[in-house]
Amino acid sequence: MASRRLRVLGIDPGLTRCGVGVVDVAPDRSAQLVHVGVVRSDATAAIETRLAAIARGIRSVLEEHRPDVLAVERVFAQQNRHSVMGTAQASGVALLLAAEHGIPASTHTPTEVKAAITGYGSADKRQVQTMVARVLRLDELPKPADAADALALALCHAWRGGAPQASATGALTPAQRAWADAERLARR
Amino acid sequence: MASRRLRVLGIDPGLTRCGVGVVDVAPDRSAQLVHVGVVRSDATAAIETRLAAIARGIRSVLEEHRPDVLAVERVFAQQNRHSVMGTAQASGVALLLAAEHGIPASTHTPTEVKAAITGYGSADKRQVQTMVARVLRLDELPKPADAADALALALCHAWRGGAPQASATGALTPAQRAWADAERLARR
């Protein structure tokens, strides 16, 4: 299906709340909200049960909305030490599901997301949320913050052209190829 | 199948090399090697492709050897910063696969593993490997180190009785229940 838009699933990974947002982005960079939500897991459950709940939620979005690409926040060890391992594990699950659904994945840092959305890498959360709502023509700011962050990630991915995954071989990553293909189609 | 032995799959998580080891442990704590190996992924591939390769490797061990429980090394943010996020992501994948195969999972710290295997939490790698080889009556030390670490994790889990997963509710974790059940059967 040679569609002229790129459908991106953004994931703000987390164990307690995992933000998921799907947007359609046209070659002129205009964007439309397709889906937004939060996948939760029971904080008292065993870690494997929690990851399975996150996987189920992401899978259902993948199957219902069939995105072209998945974008996940890149997690750093320097971040909040208490929850960072759970966040990394949830991001691993999201990336695995992308591969298993045959779609490319891409990771973006919070600074990259802020810069892509607001033009300013040190923007605060509220600025990012305001821009996301404006771009998607939403009446209200998306809530909770994890959902808004997932939409911001998805928009960031589309607007950056899936470029950040520098491959060790210098070749295009799957995400870069997907975007390049979408752009080529759009120019026809 | 009311078997009198506990079959444990130990996983030393990693993206480049993920150690997998399966042991059967009897109620008298004697142990037998069932399988040992390393799942690798191409360091130049995209992260989602790498995690999918790790998942395929772990899945094939789960399906071939049908362990009762999966034990993974617990990853800390303080560890080697360069690779810790990939390690955490691989551990998330391993834990997810446990849940999806309907078996309990358990995590153990390196110190817990060393203490369980050698009686000494600051033991060096060589001591641990020597003990693993002795316990499993192997002619050689298991290689590479990731494979030996996976066997050590599996033995640690069985010998510690799957006890370390303190649940927030105070109830037994699935791993604790599995072990308690195995012990009860053994006493009959």
Side-chain angles (χ1 to χ4, degrees), chain B residues 101-127:
Chain B
H101 282 74
I103 64 171
S106 175
T107 62
H108 304 269
T109 68
T111 304
E112 287 167 347
V113 174
K114 289 172 187 171
I117 303 298
T118 70
Y120 177 52
S122 305
D124 64 26
K125 285 229 166 228
R126 180 88 186 178
Q127 277 178 275

Side-chain angles (χ1 to χ4, degrees), chain A residues 30 45 92 139 164 176:
Chain A
S30 68
D139 292 334
Q176 288 172 318

Side-chain angles (χ1 to χ4, degrees), chain B residues 3 6 10 33 36 65 83 95 99 107 129-130 143 147 159 186:
Chain B
S3 165
L6 192 69
L33 177 67
V36 65
H65 298 292
S83 63
L95 290 163
T107 62
Q129 287 170 24
T130 304
K143 279 179 191 154
W159 289 348

